Amino acid sequence: MLAPSISISHTDTCCCFKLSVFLLRNESIRCWSNIPFITVPLSRAHGKSFAHRSELKHAKRIVVKLGSAVVTRGDECGLALGRLASIVEQVSMLQNQGREMMIVTSGAVAFGKQRLRHEILLSQSVRQALHSGQSQLKDMAIPVLEARACAAAGQSGLMALYEAMFTQYSICAAQILVTNLDFHDEQKRRNLNGTLHELLRMNIVPIINTNDAVVPPPEPNSDLQGVNVISVKDNDSLAARLAVEMKTDLLIVLSDVEGLFDSPPGSDDAKLIDIFYPGDQQSVTFGTKSRVGMGGMEAKVKAALWALQGGTSVVIANGTHPKISGHVITDIVEGKKVGTFFSEVKPAGPTVEQQAEMARAGGRTLAALQPEQRAEIIYRLADLLTDQREEILLANKKDLEEAENKGRLALPLLKRLSLSTSKLNSLAIGLRQIAASSQDSVGRVIRRTRIAKDLDLEQVTVPIGVLLVIFESRPDCLPQVSALAIASGNGLLLKGGKEAAHSNQILHHLTQEALSIHGVRDAVQLVNTREEVEDLCRLDKLIDLIIPRGSSQLVRNIQKAAKGIPVMGHSEGICHVYVDTDASVEKVTRIIRDSKCEYPAACNALETLLIHRDLLRTPLFDQIIDMLRVEQVKIHAGPKFASYLTFSPSEVKSLRIEYGDLECCIEVVDSVQEAVEHIHKYGSSHTDVIITENEKTAEFFLQHVDSACVFWNASTRFSDGYRFGLGAEVGISTSRIHARGPVGIEGLLTTKWLLRGDNHVVSDFSEHGSMKYLHESLPLPQRNAN
């Protein structure tokens, strides 16, 4: 006997969902069929759906359901060949990775309609021509085409198209047509399962469709009473039924909407639901059905929940959007945040979208506080860093022990991860600097103009909005960035690395404790969910600015992944030190040693040393080389430097390398002008230094080097927010818009315009109007001396 399935009717939804939960909690009927299947090796034991998107990459057996709106053209007559080809390409890619792919497709009716319309038009044109004897045809009415006839005419052509497309990827496809009765007859059901498993075993992609040529019209209450089956009324229910019967890991349902919304898509307040849990359906308002096809979103959700409770994970996503349809299937399997993911595991905390909204609301309240109140929060956080240092260091010790045991962090990253009493004391000092400098940040008037009589305009500083700061290894970044966000009135989302989880947790707790003294606890949020960085970068409606803190690779990845959100940062820190002919012997080795060796992993460390040609084979040059050897710095020779030497160090592969370690490149230049040109060609506009006693040469270098930070006779390591007196920094920016260099409070502010009038209208300023523009500059209000 077959185990009873679950009935989901279009009418008695509430009762049916209660029935499904009751049945599935009974472990004795968790097995959906006692029919012996051909064993297919899976990457996991089936019976429980994936809890998180990140696990979808482990899916072995996948069903892709293509809705009518996905495979048909906008005129509902004919197929969308470009989309179909893209879907076949993605399915083939996954099949060739060793996964077992199945397709449940619509499109036979639309394809048949196109063919029959063509045949009818051709037939009518011939008859009309014979009857009238005229070659010119009049308008001809097309009769209503019956769906079953269209399906019969289109099914063979649809399958031929699939076969031709899959052949391009050396993959064979097979057609299977089913009806509802095929699932009720035990022998037919046994045959269907055996056929599908045999096809999968032979690496063939089964393409399944309802046999619309013979299927009866859908009836709302056609479920067989007492048997508790899910009736195959449309391809949504068919896909769910097959997914569970075949013990599939993942069901991807492609439609013409991005996923499931909390209200009909297109309505003003509609929000895409990222993760949907059983029981949440009561909070969803369903709209109308798709423009084509049998089912609507409600049918998809019912089928998805049924499949989920059968142990199959489900994602509903858009298969028609031209910008995403070309990789929607592979993105879903890679675990990216696409569409609506159905999960039985509800997280204890808020989603990242909810956290962003909380940060937005908290940031607005924070910005409305008095400057003294924001400063008080930061002072309190500084005190907590020293008062609770034992707890902080204990949490940090756990992170260090875990990192060392797993052996996944290089020594420079372990150094970044480590906290100490001295580090915490320095952090507290920096935070107090931020608090002191924040008294006159938000709401500062930077321009006043009298537009006309009694019409005054002000430009004032305001927060940017919600910041997303992504940082690696460095837990000390959390209080620094939090203090800057608080001082500038911004909401803040923090995404730290897993290696600093314990440290970040305690530091975030202390930050929220400080924020609580003025009731703005939610303004700073730590993302603890299993969100991928790439997914966070797509939240363009919730995040206003992304600031990456970490390796150049991290910054580049975020800049690439960001979708419509500005990214503040530098992709590389290729910093130069140029030693001029007039350089002081005492200063040269001291500055170079500090720039390269004090903290070689930092983005402001020396990477390329430029030396004037006249200094070669001089005592100064020998001192530089000896010092680098003592410090165990590996030297790479630039092309010109190598040409001067008989036996030279290994020639550098590229002059655009950020070593991030005790390595550097030495290159020779003929003049300060050539040094500037070299920096512009190979540098990253981060920090560049000249060492010379010639003031004229130094000023030429300072004025002509187009980098964020340009120094004279000082280490590159001074390029830092704390050392600049900013208290801390959210990062160093090498962009040319907004902030540049170490970014403190000022870099986290933008402006808005305030106009105060008295019944002013533009028409009064026309040629014959009664008013004239004055545009007079007005004095700025006195700034806070504190």
Side-chain angles (χ1 to χ4, degrees), residues 63-124:
V63 171
V64 179
K65 184 266 176 178
L66 308 178
S68 300
V70 175
V71 299
T72 61
R73 297 199 312 241
D75 61 3
E76 303 175 22
C77 185
L79 302 180
L81 297 179
R83 282 201 296 267
L84 211 54
S86 176
I87 289 166
V88 168
E89 180 180 19
Q90 294 173 77
V91 170
S92 300
M93 185 185 304
L94 296 172
Q95 181 82 1
N96 288 328
Q97 289 176 1
R99 305 180 197 268
E100 298 172 342
M101 304 298 297
M102 292 181 279
I103 295 177
V104 175
T105 184
S106 301
V109 173
F111 198 14
K113 184 185 292 185
Q114 182 186 37
R115 293 181 66 183
L116 292 181
R117 282 170 60 96
H118 178 76
E119 292 297 326
I120 290 170
L121 282 172
L122 182 60
S123 176
Q124 287 184 348

Side-chain angles (χ1 to χ4, degrees), residues 704-767:
H704 285 81
V705 172
D706 189 17
S707 296
C709 300
V710 189
F711 302 160
W712 173 21
N713 286 349
S715 168
T716 60
R717 297 278 290 119
F718 279 104
S719 180
D720 177 84
Y722 175 77
R723 297 178 184 116
F724 275 17
L726 305 178
E729 64 184 39
V730 294
I732 293 181
S733 171
T734 55
S735 69
R736 300 173 187 276
I737 299 175
H738 194 58
R740 200 170 185 216
V743 180
I745 298 174
E746 295 292 327
L748 299 180
L749 297 170
T750 183
T751 64
K752 70 177 181 181
W753 299 89
L754 304 176
L755 183 63
R756 297 179 175 89
D758 183 17
N759 197 31
H760 289 81
V761 293
V762 169
S763 57
D764 287 342
F765 294 84
S766 63
E767 184 178 353

Side-chain angles (χ1 to χ4, degrees), residues 82 94 106 126 223 287 319 388-389 427 442 483 537 585 676 761:
L94 296 172
S106 301
V126 171
D223 290 343
Q388 304 293 326
R389 63 176 172 269
L427 270 174
V442 180
C537 293
V585 175
V676 171
V761 293

Side-chain angles (χ1 to χ4, degrees), residues 485-507:
I486 293 165
S488 56
N490 285 287
L492 178 62
L493 273 180
L494 293 157
K495 174 67 173 177
K498 296 176 184 177
E499 65 279 356
H502 299 293
S503 306
N504 290 337
Q505 198 69 46
I506 181 65
L507 291 170

